[in-house]
Amino acid sequence: MKDQIDVSVRRSPKYSVFMGIGAVLGIVLAGILAVFVDPADMPMGYTVAKGLGLLLLVLGIGGLFLGGLVALILDWRGRKTSKEFRVDAQIDMVDDPKEIARRRIAEARGEDPDADAGDDGTASASQDAAPAVDDPAPAADDGDDAGAGRDSAPGSTV
């Protein structure tokens, strides 16, 4: 059954890109600030490396959160400018999952999905059965004295 539905199309930011850029900018800012730190002004027990590590941690995480906040704001503004379109849609009114799967397989093969349906809408059992194989599979080797043959359970003595 063909029907028309309304969809909205809008641009959406990639959060991971914005958060990554924010973290990188925070790390760059920490590096710039570390250049201007005088080692004599550092408190007792702190080195420039420890101060730089703390700045990297705080400003990197801060940039990460600020980048995510910018992405959220852009996403919120993008929802206001979304465009509405009316498109054709095919709606399946069948609730049976087996019937839906049978129809999709028939469509994938290029066949008419209603061609092999019986009176009640399901395919006949003879068409779904697998074709018979002329030569049977070879039997498992029963001469295995360790008990690790294909048909035996682990640790059994069969």
Side-chain angles (χ1 to χ4, degrees):
M1 170 170 148
K2 295 265 183 180
D3 200 8
Q4 292 187 341
I5 58 173
D6 293 327
V7 295
S8 66
V9 178
R10 64 183 177 92
R11 294 183 67 179
S12 176
K14 291 190 179 245
Y15 288 89
S16 60
V17 172
F18 276 87
M19 293 171 75
I21 289 173
V24 168
L25 289 177
I27 290 170
V28 168
L29 182 62
I32 292 171
L33 289 176
V35 170
F36 295 113
V37 171
D38 186 19
D41 293 339
M42 298 293 283
M44 188 64 113
Y46 279 98
T47 63
V48 175
K50 286 183 180 179
L52 177 63
L54 184 62
L55 279 173
L56 285 173
L57 182 68
V58 170
L59 293 178
I61 292 175
L64 185 84
F65 285 121
L66 285 177
L69 183 64
V70 168
L72 277 173
I73 291 170
L74 289 176
D75 190 26
W76 176 68
R77 290 187 64 198
R79 290 183 188 199
K80 288 183 176 181
T81 61
S82 65
K83 296 178 182 174
E84 298 286 328
F85 293 102
R86 184 173 299 255
V87 295
D88 290 334
Q90 183 176 359
I91 300 172
D92 243 350
M93 300 305 283
V94 180
D95 292 332
D96 184 21
K98 290 181 182 178
E99 179 65 18
I100 293 171
R102 186 194 62 77
R103 287 176 162 274
R104 288 184 180 163
I105 290 171
E107 287 174 359
R109 291 180 181 160
E111 303 168 355
D112 183 23
D114 297 324
D116 6 326
D119 294 336
D120 61 345
T122 59
S124 64
S126 65
Q127 292 174 347
D128 288 342
V133 178
D134 291 337
D135 47 356
D141 185 19
D142 292 334
D144 190 10
D145 45 72
R150 215 174 13 183
D151 292 335
S152 63
S156 69
T157 58
V158 175

